[in-house]
């Protein structure tokens, strides 16, 4: 089982640039093209939130057009920049998104692996929240199958990463503590995968591993200073590939959208190491 994770697409209305400079639509087009060429091809793609920039229907219509060439099934997760009902309206065949007015939480099975998606949105706040209703749904969902290896997908990371202006708007501390208490009770949780921070980040969390996926467009500046400024950079656009086997569990790779050249052989035709 192989799946790809992309996050924080921030698609705007056609012709609009993020921060007057970043053509997020063009970046997504390149990412989709790259995903289509992967060998082996992922079984599915999960998009962990901030699919668009202002939660507007026109943005989701643009996103839908950009995702149409993707030749792999994809699953959508809600982020703080998203709009639940506009998303549902534009992607009606994605029935797992639920009914109007409700949270966007669901499960999906892929062979020997289960995906559980959480809704951490807390409008109008940029930070995340998990209320008791969402946590109760999660606990009941996890308790319904304690054997199948499970990946929890959510937008806001439930941990501090050290980038201060992003930690201020991470999942709220109370929700993170309650989430940890739930996750810790189940030993079949392979990973908690997140977005929001636009960087590749990994840490221990509640007896498993939590990770953050970078963006296929702009990244958050890596600045671990106290009081560091809120800033973005054009580091290489990237995504994550997660490979699961029963023997190894979930093994994750950082993958880059753009081709940097290669692959170059280590050995020549005679089998001699190229020095």
């Amino acid at each position: 089982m192989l799946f790809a994770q992309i996050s924080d697409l921030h698609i705007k209305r056609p012709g609009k640039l993020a921060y007057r400079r970043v053509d997020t639509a063009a970046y997504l087009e390149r990412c989709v093209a790259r995903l289509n060429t992967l060998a082996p091809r992922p079984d599915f793609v999960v998009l962990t939130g901030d699919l668009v920039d202002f939660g507007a229907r026109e943005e989701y219509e643009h996103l839908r057009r950009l995702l149409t060439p993707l030749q792999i099934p994809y699953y959508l997760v809600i982020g703080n920049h998203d709009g639940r009902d506009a998303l549902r309206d534009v992607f009606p065949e994605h029935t797992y998104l639920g009914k109007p007015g409700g949270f966007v939480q669901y499960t999906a099975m892929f062979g020997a692996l289960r995906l559980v998606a959480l809704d951490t949105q807390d409008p109008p706040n940029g930070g995340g929240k998990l209320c008791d209703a969402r946590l109760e749904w999660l606990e009941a969902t996890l308790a319904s199958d304690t054997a199948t290896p499970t990946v929890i997908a959510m937008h806001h990371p439930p941990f501090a990463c050290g980038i201060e202006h992003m930690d201020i708007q991470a999942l709220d501390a109370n929700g993170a503590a309650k989430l940890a208490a739930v996750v810790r009770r189940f030993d079949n949780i392979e990973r908690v995968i997140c977005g929001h921070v636009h960087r590749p980040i990994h840490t221990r969390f509640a007896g498993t591993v939590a990770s953050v996926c970078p963006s296929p467009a702009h990244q958050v500046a890596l600045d671990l200073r106290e009081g560091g400024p809120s800033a973005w950079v054009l580091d290489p656009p990237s995504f994550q590939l997660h490979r699961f086997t029963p023997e190894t569990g979930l093994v994750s790779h950082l993958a880059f959208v753009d081709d940097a050249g290669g692959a170059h052989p280590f050995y020549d035709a005679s089998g001699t190491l190229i020095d």
Side-chain angles (χ1 to χ4, degrees):
M1 176 62 60
L2 180 70
F3 71 95
Q5 179 191 4
I6 60 176
S7 196
D8 297 273
L9 288 57
H10 289 277
I11 298 302
K12 302 177 78 69
R13 300 192 311 274
K16 291 288 290 183
L17 303 179
Y19 311 110
R20 304 177 185 174
R21 182 175 174 184
V22 184
D23 190 344
T24 55
Y27 275 113
L28 180 56
E29 287 179 328
R30 285 156 51 189
C31 185
V32 166
R34 175 65 171 154
L35 289 168
N36 284 338
T37 65
L38 291 175
R41 178 172 288 178
D43 296 282
F44 66 96
V45 180
V46 58
L47 291 74
T48 45
D50 283 1
L51 310 172
V52 301
D53 214 28
F54 287 98
R57 183 184 180 92
E58 188 178 3
E59 293 176 328
Y60 285 115
E61 290 170 345
H62 194 196
L63 172 66
R64 185 182 180 97
R65 289 190 294 270
L66 293 166
L67 290 175
T68 295
L70 183 60
Q71 299 167 14
I72 308 167
Y74 62 88
Y75 290 78
L76 305 167
V77 177
I78 205 85
N80 55 290
H81 280 257
D82 290 304
R84 295 183 180 110
D85 289 339
L87 173 65
R88 292 182 175 109
D89 286 346
V90 177
F91 292 87
E93 73 281 12
H94 290 245
T95 55
Y96 60 84
L97 295 173
K99 297 179 180 179
F103 297 122
V104 178
Q105 303 198 142
Y106 58 87
T107 64
M109 291 294 299
F110 305 95
L113 189 70
R114 176 175 61 163
L115 176 71
V116 175
L118 277 179
D119 182 333
T120 59
Q121 193 183 72
D122 184 32
N125 301 312
K129 181 178 181 179
L130 282 174
C131 60
D132 288 344
R134 283 177 271 192
L135 287 163
E136 288 168 4
W137 176 89
L138 174 65
E139 184 161 19
T141 298
L142 297 178
S144 69
D145 181 352
T146 60
T148 300
T150 296
V151 173
I152 297 174
M154 54 194 284
H155 182 66
H156 294 85
F159 61 90
C161 68
I163 301 175
E164 187 174 276
H165 67 97
M166 297 304 300
D167 286 340
I168 290 170
Q169 53 177 319
L171 186 66
D172 76 285
N174 182 58
K178 290 183 176 181
L179 174 66
V182 171
V183 170
R184 195 172 283 113
R185 287 199 284 274
F186 301 93
D187 60 9
N188 60 326
I189 309 301
E190 286 285 332
R191 185 74 53 85
V192 178
I193 60 172
C194 312
H196 193 55
V197 188
H198 294 233
R199 297 210 63 84
I201 306 168
H202 308 270
T203 190
R204 295 182 184 180
F205 176 76
T208 184
V209 175
S211 65
V212 175
C213 182
S215 170
H218 54 292
Q219 314 302 338
V220 166
L222 179 56
D223 190 335
L224 301 176
R225 295 174 296 175
E226 184 176 351
S230 175
W232 57 272
V233 293
L234 288 175
D235 285 349
S238 45
F239 57 95
Q240 288 187 334
L241 284 173
H242 303 284
R243 178 178 181 267
F244 174 80
T245 69
E247 295 77 22
T248 64
L250 199 69
V251 177
S252 302
H253 299 263
L254 176 66
F256 297 101
V257 170
D258 297 322
D259 185 357
H264 305 289
F266 288 109
Y267 299 90
D268 63 21
S270 69
T272 303
L273 182 66
I274 300 171
D275 56 17

